[in-house]
Amino acid sequence: MSSMQSNSSTDVTFVRPATFFISDFSNIPHSKYYYVFLSLVYVVTVLGNSIIMCIIYLARRLHTAKYIAVFHLALSDLCGSSALIPKIIDMFLFDHQDISYEACLTNMFFVYHFMNLQSLTLLALAYDRLVAICFPLQYHAIVTKPAMFLIVGVMWIVSATFFSVLVGLVNRISFCRSNVLNSYFCDYAPICGLACNDISINILMGKISYGLLICTPLILIIISYFCISVALLKIAHGADRIKALKTCTSHLILVAIFYLPVLCNVLASVTTPLHPNTQIINNSLTQTIPPMLNPIIYTLKTEEVMQSIKELYKRSKCVKYCNIGVDFHYLPERNSLTTDI
């Protein structure tokens, strides 16, 4: 290895590579077309999430606590995809598969951090629906804009702190086998797999990371919807029950799109050994497709957003025609000769 760091106080030497080599698909012809597809996914993701954030910012009716969380989900989707897909395109479309040790750890931090924020934001939206349906009279007193800003702030602090520690612990790993990562980005597990010293604390933190990222939020979301189901059964009128359930539809779809592929990948890897190519495709689609679909689902399945889009469109038309009216109002009068003709 080309670089080495020594800790003289404990007489421990950690061997680190100057660079990692991110491996590509093996024995798949025309694999570059897959990365072209991911680039198109990224374009749609950027456009969709930018549009939904602009709509929330411009539409006054969406300036509520719930849409602070929706705005944050769109922001997390946009940043998460930006941390992952452009780097994938640069590495595999333009053959820049060598990445420096420091850049690799930085990439790992941002990918995991924003993926965790997506998961926690879905939990915050589940909390919003829980209070709205189970405690409708107290909703506006409990789920306030300051409270939602506080929740988002705590998310950032907890996630950034945890993944800073997780990534920092990689510096305790001594690499003496290879610098080739069998993944599509600087993934934590493949990096730990290259270690030749004791990495028990890294394995423990990896398990805690999985629990923080997937298991805990999903369990809390399931509990919240169990409480919502109990509350819905107590509603006497079927029409009111359906109306309340419709307010949860878009969130339930987002939860399914985010968590089901992850759980399926985990179950598949546990029950059946997956080919590395299959793992790369499954994991990359799991991380890139939900951020693309989320704004589309919220636009099509949420009545408030659709109504806001219509209002913004009408407002833009009104401004346009009002400006035209002002222009005509100040046009100079035609002279009499022209009028007679």
Side-chain angles (χ1 to χ4, degrees):
M1 299 298 174
S2 56
S3 64
M4 180 181 296
Q5 179 177 352
S6 175
N7 186 338
S8 58
S9 61
T10 55
D11 296 326
V12 175
T13 299
F14 298 110
V15 182
R16 301 174 186 167
T19 61
F20 286 108
F21 182 84
I22 313 295
S23 66
D24 197 356
F25 290 116
S26 59
N27 301 319
I28 294 185
H30 310 298
S31 61
K32 289 188 183 295
Y33 289 117
Y34 178 69
Y35 301 114
V36 172
F37 164 73
L38 286 185
S39 66
L40 295 176
V41 168
Y42 181 63
V43 170
V44 176
T45 300
V46 171
L47 289 175
N49 285 289
S50 299
I51 289 170
I52 199 75
M53 286 191 289
C54 288
I55 291 168
I56 293 171
Y57 177 76
L58 294 173
R60 289 183 178 273
R61 66 185 293 155
L62 300 182
H63 292 181
T64 62
K66 174 187 174 182
Y67 283 96
I68 290 171
V70 174
F71 185 96
H72 184 256
L73 179 63
L75 179 64
S76 301
D77 287 340
L78 181 59
C79 292
S81 293
S82 297
L84 183 65
I85 299 179
K87 191 63 183 175
I88 291 176
I89 294 168
D90 180 56
M91 286 190 296
F92 300 123
L93 274 184
F94 301 102
D95 298 323
H96 298 151
Q97 291 172 252
D98 284 300
I99 182 171
S100 70
Y101 179 86
E102 293 78 12
C104 186
L105 297 193
T106 302
N107 177 250
M108 181 197 300
F109 170 80
F110 283 110
V111 170
Y112 280 127
H113 172 58
F114 286 113
M115 190 175 180
N116 188 48
L117 288 180
Q118 293 166 26
S119 180
L120 293 176
T121 306
L122 290 173
L123 176 59
L125 287 168
Y127 167 72
D128 172 84
R129 292 299 84 205
L130 175 69
V131 177
I133 293 174
C134 297
F135 308 100
L137 299 179
Q138 292 83 25
Y139 174 75
H140 292 290
I142 298 173
V143 185
T144 61
K145 287 193 277 188
M148 190 58 74
F149 277 122
L150 179 62
I151 290 171
V152 170
V154 170
M155 283 183 206
W156 274 79
I157 293 169
V158 171
S159 182
T161 302
F162 179 83
F163 287 105
S164 295
V165 173
L166 180 79
V167 173
L169 286 173
V170 174
N171 291 316
R172 296 183 71 260
I173 298 176
S174 193
F175 301 92
C176 55
R177 295 178 184 172
S178 171
N179 71 333
V180 178
L181 294 179
N182 294 316
S183 184
Y184 56 98
F185 77 106
C186 289
D187 202 355
Y188 187 74
I191 286 179
C192 290
L194 301 178
C196 55
N197 62 333
D198 181 26
I199 57 167
S200 54
I201 189 169
N202 299 84
I203 294 172
L204 175 62
M205 287 297 290
K207 291 178 179 178
I208 294 173
S209 170
Y210 181 75
L212 178 68
L213 186 67
I214 301 298
C215 298
T216 302
L218 181 58
I219 290 169
L220 291 174
I221 289 171
I222 291 171
I223 291 172
S224 69
Y225 271 100
F226 175 78
C227 296
I228 288 171
S229 300
V230 172
L232 288 175
L233 291 174
K234 293 179 181 178
I235 298 176
H237 299 288
D240 293 337
R241 190 182 302 129
I242 293 171
K243 185 178 179 181
L245 185 60
K246 279 184 177 179
T247 64
C248 303
T249 304
S250 56
H251 179 253
L252 282 170
I253 295 173
L254 298 187
V255 169
I257 288 173
F258 183 86
Y259 289 106
L260 285 180
V262 176
L263 294 176
C264 289
N265 282 347
V266 172
L267 290 174
S269 62
V270 170
T271 56
T272 308
L274 295 177
H275 191 276
N277 291 340
T278 306
Q279 287 183 332
I280 289 175
I281 292 174
N282 287 353
N283 292 335
S284 59
L285 290 178
T286 296
Q287 286 184 271
T288 56
I289 296 299
M292 180 188 72
L293 295 179
N294 287 350
I296 298 171
I297 290 165
Y298 245 102
T299 302
L300 297 178
K301 296 295 293 183
T302 308
E303 188 176 342
E304 289 171 309
V305 175
M306 289 297 293
Q307 195 63 36
S308 296
I309 293 171
K310 292 175 184 177
E311 289 177 2
L312 289 172
Y313 177 69
K314 288 179 181 177
R315 192 192 306 172
S316 65
K317 285 183 67 176
C318 177
V319 170
K320 177 183 175 182
Y321 288 132
C322 286
N323 288 337
I324 292 173
V326 169
D327 292 339
F328 276 120
H329 179 71
Y330 286 104
L331 280 175
E333 292 183 3
R334 295 179 297 175
N335 60 45
S336 58
L337 179 62
T338 306
T339 307
D340 293 337
I341 291 172

